[in-house]
Amino acid sequence: MHATAIAQPNIALVKYWGKRDMVKNLPAVGSISMTLLGLETKMSVQIDKMAENDRAYVNGSLSQKLLPRVSLALNRVIGSERDRVIVNSRSNFPIAAGLASSASAFAALTLAAASATKSDLTIQQIARLAGESSGSAARSLYGGFVELANEEKTIQVSQLASHQDWPLSVIVAVTEVGPKSVGSTEAMEISRKTSPFYDEWVNRQHADLSAARQAIHERDFSALAAVSEHSCLKMHSVMWASRPSLVYWNAATLRCMQTIRELQSRDVAVFFTIDAGPQLKAICDPKDAETVLTALRATDGVVEVLRSGLGCGARLIADD
Ligand code: PMV
């Protein structure tokens, strides 16, 4: 019994920050994201009746660090009374690129585990289970523009527009490599407990979600740019005002923002977003992608630029 799935990471335009249920890993707010193109995690799951323990290989090496989260994710799909599982994960993008590698990893793992055990879970149920492992992973089950909506006891994930409907480009400016200073689960709890802006952040999310939904529906780039930059800067304001403060940016992150402002003043259709890390992601019209890439590459402190676009959702592939 084995299966292999591929999933891409996603970046949120209307951000998720904060949890309403730590046990089920339910987010405090809904979110809207773009699933990326070309950057992939390939995950193979092999049920091994003879093995004594689960094993997880990441890019060819045994990983003890990821194993507890992998085993829990497998329990969610298969149940805890199960045979042991050998998991092989390969990503074709740098984990340090701040591209939420956990999103693509847990989306692919959950889908592959469901297929290997021939479960009849729907994509929606798989998205919910993936979301229990990593909040943003639920969104990578779908391609293009994706909304994660909060319902009373669960989440509902759906596609707002496909990658063909509105094929925007994404340029990632990597300004620092290395693990983030504070992991997102811990950081979200710090914000929930201490940031004076947290409640307002939760209360105002509804308005940002409907503005982004409408902008995507109407393919209105400047409206999407406005709400996305606002959501990003508002999330970071919540983080900055937390105690201890959560400042994920470095000097080069700010210089990249300056580069985007300069491009915008020259009427280049581009906007930025930044997650819980120092990398800046620029979203632009494909005709401007080369201009944006060149400008970010020339920005002092940028160590690498990656070019992407909008991709499709997680899918099963034939085993190697
Ligand atoms: O899925 P997590 O737990 O790594 O949290 C993701 C949080 C942000 O990337 C900052 C925002 C988002 O909505 O993806």
Side-chain angles (χ1 to χ4, degrees):
M1 284 158 86
H2 49 83
T4 301
I6 282 188
Q8 278 109 231
N10 67 76
I11 49 170
L13 301 178
V14 178
K15 304 290 190 191
Y16 135 60
W17 192 251
K19 298 182 199 286
R20 65 184 155 119
D21 183 330
M22 287 290 282
V23 178
K24 290 194 173 154
N25 201 34
L26 291 173
V29 291
S31 54
I32 291 178
S33 60
M34 294 166 70
T35 301
L36 297 182
L37 173 74
L39 310 161
E40 295 175 346
T41 301
K42 187 161 119 183
M43 190 69 81
S44 302
V45 162
Q46 167 89 49
I47 315 286
D48 187 338
K49 290 189 182 302
M50 308 307 282
E52 282 186 12
N53 297 303
D54 294 333
R55 263 181 287 153
Y57 294 86
V58 178
N59 294 330
S61 311
L62 201 58
S63 169
Q64 292 304 339
K65 193 169 162 237
L66 202 67
L67 192 61
R69 277 181 86 186
V70 165
S71 293
L72 267 177
L74 292 166
N75 291 353
R76 286 184 181 111
V77 182
I78 318 173
S80 51
E81 301 292 310
R82 59 174 171 80
D83 291 324
R84 298 301 102 193
V85 178
I86 315 297
V87 168
N88 256 296
S89 169
R90 279 194 185 272
S91 293
N92 69 353
F93 59 95
I95 288 179
L99 278 167
S101 52
S102 66
S104 52
F106 286 103
L109 176 64
T110 310
L111 180 61
S115 170
T117 51
K118 307 218 176 328
S119 87
D120 52 8
L121 292 168
T122 63
I123 288 293
Q124 187 65 238
Q125 288 166 324
I126 293 172
R128 285 179 181 145
L129 292 174
E132 288 184 30
S133 298
S134 162
S136 52
R139 300 184 306 230
S140 278
L141 265 303
Y142 295 81
F145 294 88
V146 178
E147 175 161 11
L148 186 156
N150 252 340
E151 292 189 339
E152 206 181 321
K153 287 192 177 137
T154 183
I155 54 164
Q156 182 78 24
V157 191
S158 60
Q159 185 183 67
L160 297 175
S162 79
H163 59 291
Q164 284 131 343
D165 291 335
W166 199 12
L168 297 177
S169 291
V170 179
I171 313 291
V172 182
V174 179
T175 63
E176 200 175 301
V177 285
K180 54 177 102 163
S181 44
V182 189
S184 52
T185 299
E186 185 188 346
M188 285 182 198
E189 279 301 280
I190 293 174
S191 289
R192 185 180 66 79
K193 289 180 185 150
T194 68
S195 179
F197 304 153
Y198 183 81
D199 289 346
E200 272 304 281
W201 155 258
V202 173
N203 290 340
R204 287 168 187 257
Q205 188 75 345
H206 188 70
D208 290 353
L209 288 170
S210 52
R213 213 180 288 125
Q214 189 177 343
I216 291 164
H217 183 67
E218 293 172 359
R219 318 278 188 268
D220 182 340
F221 188 87
S222 49
L224 188 63
V227 69
S228 301
E229 287 193 358
H230 174 64
S231 176
C232 164
L233 294 172
K234 194 163 50 172
M235 177 183 78
H236 284 277
S237 305
V238 173
M239 294 172 175
W240 282 39
S242 301
R243 300 183 91 162
S245 63
L246 301 158
V247 180
Y248 286 104
W249 303 353
N250 59 29
T253 317
L254 279 161
R255 281 195 289 269
C256 287
M257 281 167 67
Q258 188 66 29
T259 298
I260 300 299
R261 288 284 178 262
E262 277 160 20
L263 290 166
Q264 288 169 335
S265 72
R266 290 196 272 127
D267 286 333
V268 176
V270 61
F271 65 87
F272 68 80
T273 189
I274 305 160
D275 292 303
Q279 333 302 6
L280 178 138
K281 291 115 187 185
I283 293 94
C284 64
D285 191 292
K287 74 172 172 23
D288 295 320
E290 209 50 50
T291 307
V292 173
L293 189 134
T294 308
L296 285 171
R297 185 177 277 147
T299 302
D300 189 20
V302 171
V303 291
E304 190 183 359
V305 276
L306 304 172
R307 185 175 176 162
S308 178
L310 276 148
C312 53
R315 63 214 175 272
L316 293 164
I317 58 162
D319 289 320
D320 291 333

